[in-house]
Amino acid sequence: MENNNNHYSIETKDLCILYGGFTAVRNVNIKVEKQKITAIIGPSGCGKSTLLRAFNRMNDFVPNSYVTGEIFLHGQNLYSKQVDPVEARRKIGMVFQKPNPFPKSIYENIAWGARINGFKGKMDELVEQSLRSAALWDEVKDKLHQSAYALSGGQQQRLCIARTIAIQPEIILMDEPASALDPISTLRIEDLMQELKKNYTIIIVTHNMQQAARVSDYTAMMMIDDNRSGGVIEFDETKKIFTRPSDKRTEDYVTGRFG
Amino acid sequence: MNTNNYYPQAQEFQKELNSRYRVASIWQSLFLFALLIAVLSLTALMYNVIDGAFGYIAYEYKNDPSEFTSTPVNELTQEELLTILQSNLSSGAYKKLNNEQAMQTRSQADLLNLFLERLVQVDTKQTWTMTESIFQREKILQETASNYPEARIEFRSWLTPQFLVSPMSSRAEFAGVRTAVLGSLWLVGIAIAFALPIGTGAAIYLQEYAPKNWFTSLIQININNLAGVPSIVYGMLGLAVFVRLLEPLTSGSMFGISDANGRTILSAGLTMGILVLPLIIINAQEAIKAVPDSLRQASFGVGATRWQTVWHHVLPNALPGILTGSILALSRALGETAPLIVVGASTFISVDPDGPFSKFTALPIQIYQWTTRAQSEFHAIAASGIVVLLVLLLTLNATAILLRNQFQRKY
């Protein structure tokens, strides 16, 4: 890492995300710490996913969308001309709300991303290592060449995590990764996240406040303002957000009085 | 609570429910009726075609077969036929036939046809449809006996293996669809080879790359409208561009072929290609649209470029749909007649097309030409030709469907 004394992974400065003329997310200033889990919570439609997708330039694909302000990754603005979005997405992996494995074999699901990014070395080892890291190896080691669609939803989601790990990102973005899963699969994903944070910085969007409280170290609370733009109203350690929030709206939300 | 707002109860509800069921059953029977009409018209079509392709035929032999041989016509062997033909045909005629195809290599059926055509000289007097043949057998026999006392009568299927492999002939009894079938296959082949890559490419660009603005919408609207332009207009285009403007290319003179003009199979194939291009583009676009966005995002999410996403995920998943679209295009190209007439299909041609620069005819042209003839035996072979066209269509479609299923089963 270029900047050793900087223990932040991502920093945003006055980040606004706009669709056409509409400001979907306004003035976000947060600092995401390395090798910690940061949760983004808030009611529906407050721009949580939009913010998350700005971190790996997924919003580039939405017509007429653009950002103002800055997102720093190791001190470099993610949206500057020098940064190639494809390269950025390799460093900042993403796990989506609905498990979306490729319609290929389990093995190929992991090998494909590695191959297109020019992976040199033993592919078999990489596949095994990635599946082990995603706590999936023991369940699939005998059927690596079967379709990924034959797996259960929870297994598919862990495969998607394995696929992301395989390209060795620094940051993993998770967009409500457990919302389509049953409680047991959800728990497994949460356990997995605790393992993963030893090596990766994780940012997770979640609807589920208990989940945020269980897994995250930091929490960003988002809320919609009078112009229907979302914004981070409070960003702090998770413990503090859930016990002594400084904003009244956060308190209402986390105690279930609203949202 | 306002008592004017209420739901009907018990008896009243039952009454309304019954009327709802009544309306439902009326609609249901209307839909059934529509289906019946559709099935009926298709059956009528098939019956009409089949009806013409089989039936009684009354014919006379100008020369009695017994003048040439003592063996009954049906029992003649290949060797016997060869000797008969050799000894009775003029040496010039025999040489000409031998040049077309060596006599020794011809089949018994082929030789028998030559015997009947050249020496016995079959003369068809009258033909009847299948329905007439079945229900008015007595009347047909009587009529024939009084009108053509010399005539023989037999129940004939016009659709024979011989019909499939014989080239065009001026005598309906000996004419076949071989030239036309080969011409049609060449046409469809050239059209698809031209339109499928270009159409798919255009669809990919429109769906995956092009920005959404007024200009791309304009292009989109134009493509949609082009799909509905009458085919004769494409024929005019083909005549102007391929036959006239690009004659050096389409006639093959660029490649050293001197005896052809621009009215070649290549011109016609390219015209057909342009004709089906909008169809292929629209269908490919639909197929590409149907690929879930989550798959694209998954691909981008692991650091794929736009091109890698399209090539490895969008295209393979859209391929079955694109193939389905090409089935439709192929069927359309196979059945089109008007543009071929304009581009200059030959109406009488008995040599097989041997390359993109040969003159050509196609099945629909051949059928059209036969139906315009006055003699009823030509109508019978036109009906047989239609059966061949339909079977060809079904075969091509089935192949495409099998191909599509093959691609779908990969996952």
Side-chain angles (χ1 to χ4, degrees):
Chain A
M1 316 260 155
E2 302 105 287
N3 209 342
N4 278 330
N5 46 14
N6 186 355
H7 58 278
Y8 295 118
S9 186
I10 283 183
E11 287 183 58
T12 68
K13 209 176 145 200
D14 296 333
L15 175 69
C16 299
I17 304 164
L18 296 95
Y19 294 131
F22 172 66
T23 310
V25 173
R26 192 188 297 273
N27 291 338
V28 174
N29 291 291
I30 57 173
K31 293 177 173 181
V32 177
E33 242 181 280
K34 268 181 198 156
Q35 292 172 17
K36 294 276 192 264
I37 298 175
T38 303
I40 304 175
I41 61 170
S44 296
C46 70
K48 304 185 293 288
S49 292
T50 306
L51 176 61
L52 190 76
R53 279 157 183 268
F55 291 151
N56 71 342
R57 299 195 55 169
M58 268 307 194
N59 284 336
D60 289 14
F61 300 115
V62 181
N64 299 324
S65 80
Y66 59 100
V67 304
T68 63
E70 286 148 319
I71 300 177
F72 290 108
L73 178 71
H74 306 316
Q76 188 176 33
N77 185 4
L78 196 62
Y79 280 84
S80 72
K81 286 247 160 36
Q82 288 83 2
V83 174
D84 186 287
V86 170
E87 193 188 345
R89 279 181 219 119
R90 198 195 80 75
K91 283 191 196 148
I92 308 172
M94 189 160 200
V95 177
F96 298 86
Q97 181 170 5
K98 246 182 82 190
N100 57 351
F102 299 126
K104 296 172 182 284
S105 70
I106 293 168
Y107 185 94
E108 270 304 306
N109 258 278
I110 291 162
W112 190 78
R115 208 178 292 130
I116 59 158
N117 284 299
F119 174 74
K120 305 270 188 304
K122 294 208 172 74
M123 190 62 84
D124 292 355
E125 275 174 26
L126 178 76
V127 170
E128 177 172 348
Q129 203 184 346
S130 309
L131 285 171
R132 278 192 195 282
S133 309
L136 191 60
W137 174 253
D138 291 330
E139 293 159 62
V140 301
K141 64 183 172 197
D142 299 323
K143 46 180 181 180
L144 285 178
H145 295 284
Q146 291 176 19
S147 168
Y149 281 12
L151 298 176
S152 73
Q155 288 173 324
Q156 286 187 11
Q157 194 62 299
R158 276 179 284 146
L159 180 63
C160 292
I161 293 173
R163 173 177 77 189
T164 307
I165 297 169
I167 56 169
Q168 291 164 1
E170 293 164 25
I171 303 165
I172 300 175
L173 307 177
M174 297 185 169
D175 191 354
E176 301 187 38
S179 68
L181 306 179
D182 63 272
I184 291 168
S185 302
T186 303
L187 266 182
R188 298 200 65 163
I189 300 271
E190 288 177 9
D191 290 344
L192 179 58
M193 288 170 69
Q194 295 305 329
E195 276 303 305
L196 291 176
K197 82 172 193 187
K198 291 172 188 160
N199 297 309
Y200 307 95
T201 307
I202 295 173
I203 307 178
I204 176 175
V205 162
T206 179
H207 254 116
N208 181 333
M209 273 177 298
Q210 284 78 15
Q211 186 173 51
R214 277 195 302 265
V215 300
S216 68
D217 304 298
Y218 291 89
T219 297
M221 173 68 204
M222 287 185 78
M223 194 71 83
I224 218 159
D225 67 14
D226 297 336
N227 298 321
R228 291 178 35 241
S229 305
V232 174
I233 55 165
E234 193 169 356
F235 177 60
D236 216 324
E237 284 182 41
T238 302
K239 239 183 272 163
K240 205 175 156 240
I241 292 272
F242 280 90
T243 51
R244 293 170 277 115
S246 46
D247 193 296
K248 180 76 172 64
R249 290 169 293 176
T250 311
E251 190 181 344
D252 287 349
Y253 187 74
V254 299
T255 51
R257 245 172 280 164
F258 156 75
Chain B
M1 199 169 145
N2 191 339
T3 46
N4 288 330
N5 298 340
Y6 70 102
Y7 285 105
Q9 303 292 335
Q11 286 268 303
E12 200 187 350
F13 180 81
Q14 199 54 246
K15 223 175 98 191
E16 287 196 4
L17 187 61
N18 285 339
S19 89
R20 269 153 69 187
Y21 280 134
R22 213 161 33 245
V23 172
S25 67
I26 289 171
W27 278 108
Q28 192 185 349
S29 36
L30 275 175
F31 294 146
L32 180 67
F33 186 62
L35 176 68
L36 283 178
I37 289 181
V39 169
L40 207 69
S41 42
L42 285 178
T43 318
L45 175 85
M46 289 310 293
Y47 176 75
N48 187 31
V49 170
I50 304 275
D51 193 36
F54 304 91
Y56 274 117
I57 168 175
Y59 61 97
E60 281 173 8
Y61 286 149
K62 254 195 191 136
N63 307 311
D64 199 282
S66 57
E67 292 170 27
F68 304 100
T69 171
S70 52
T71 336
V73 174
N74 294 331
E75 291 165 25
L76 282 166
T77 64
Q78 198 177 354
E79 289 78 36
E80 281 173 303
L81 281 163
L82 261 178
T83 7
I84 298 167
L85 283 166
Q86 201 155 17
S87 49
N88 290 295
L89 277 172
S90 72
S91 66
Y94 187 82
K95 213 180 256 168
K96 197 166 166 250
L97 285 169
N98 203 26
N99 281 342
E100 278 172 19
Q101 194 189 344
M103 294 301 271
Q104 272 74 19
T105 63
R106 292 181 184 233
S107 65
Q108 191 264 351
D110 198 3
L111 291 171
L112 185 65
N113 263 345
L114 278 176
F115 171 62
L116 293 174
E117 183 182 358
R118 298 297 179 99
L119 299 176
V120 180
Q121 298 191 3
V122 172
D123 182 16
T124 304
K125 290 296 179 195
Q126 198 172 350
T127 61
W128 291 270
T129 65
M130 189 174 69
T131 319
E132 287 168 343
S133 305
I134 293 171
F135 295 108
Q136 304 168 6
R137 194 164 169 273
E138 291 306 315
K139 195 175 144 224
I140 289 171
L141 292 179
Q142 271 172 17
E143 251 177 51
T144 312
S146 61
N147 294 349
Y148 320 105
E150 299 281 295
R152 295 143 192 270
I153 188 155
E154 74 176 48
F155 190 87
R156 175 164 175 168
S157 158
W158 292 91
L159 188 64
T160 57
Q162 199 62 33
F163 179 72
L164 295 179
V165 298
S166 303
M168 179 60 175
S169 162
S170 56
R171 310 286 313 276
E173 299 87 338
F174 308 105
V177 286
R178 175 199 173 114
T179 331
V181 168
L182 287 175
S184 277
L185 291 178
W186 267 100
L187 271 183
V188 171
I190 291 173
I192 288 294
F194 169 76
L196 193 58
I198 291 182
T200 311
I204 290 173
Y205 192 87
L206 273 173
Q207 277 320 115
E208 298 288 328
Y209 290 92
K212 302 270 170 286
N213 56 27
W214 66 269
F215 187 64
T216 45
S217 318
L218 189 73
I219 291 177
Q220 187 71 61
I221 292 168
N222 269 305
I223 290 172
N224 294 348
N225 284 333
L226 279 176
V229 168
S231 56
I232 191 100
V233 177
Y234 285 98
M236 307 297 286
L237 176 81
L239 180 68
V241 176
F242 297 124
V243 177
R244 302 253 163 84
L245 198 65
L246 297 176
E247 181 165 2
L249 173 76
T250 52
S251 69
S253 65
M254 251 165 82
F255 310 98
I257 293 167
S258 53
D259 62 334
N261 55 20
R263 297 172 180 277
T264 55
I265 227 168
L266 182 63
S267 294
L270 291 176
T271 307
M272 283 298 192
I274 290 199
L275 175 85
V276 298
L277 198 54
L279 273 180
I280 292 192
I281 295 178
I282 292 167
N283 277 299
Q285 276 187 295
E286 289 304 320
I288 290 168
K289 262 187 223 166
V291 175
D293 235 13
S294 67
L295 198 57
R296 290 188 186 86
Q297 294 196 337
S299 174
F300 289 130
V302 295
T305 60
R306 174 75 75 171
W307 166 243
Q308 286 169 323
T309 304
V310 169
W311 183 250
H312 291 277
H313 297 295
V314 177
L315 258 190
N317 283 284
L319 203 58
I322 292 174
L323 280 176
T324 314
S326 63
I327 298 171
L328 287 173
L330 199 131
S331 313
R332 170 124 197 244
L334 199 61
E336 276 300 344
T337 324
L340 294 181
I341 296 176
V342 180
V343 172
S346 315
T347 43
F348 189 93
I349 187 171
S350 59
V351 273
D352 293 348
D354 57 355
F357 306 120
S358 42
K359 288 187 285 181
F360 71 100
T361 188
L363 262 176
I365 295 278
Q366 198 71 84
I367 292 164
Y368 167 71
Q369 207 254 332
W370 280 335
T371 52
T372 55
R373 302 283 284 258
Q375 302 97 315
S376 63
E377 58 265 34
F378 277 103
H379 301 165
I381 59 172
S384 308
I386 293 170
V387 175
V388 173
L389 181 63
L390 290 179
V391 170
L392 201 61
L393 214 65
L394 287 178
T395 317
L396 287 176
N397 285 1
T399 317
I401 289 168
L402 283 178
L403 258 172
R404 186 185 66 187
N405 293 347
Q406 192 65 37
F407 281 113
Q408 266 172 340
R409 219 174 290 143
K410 237 163 82 182
Y411 310 120

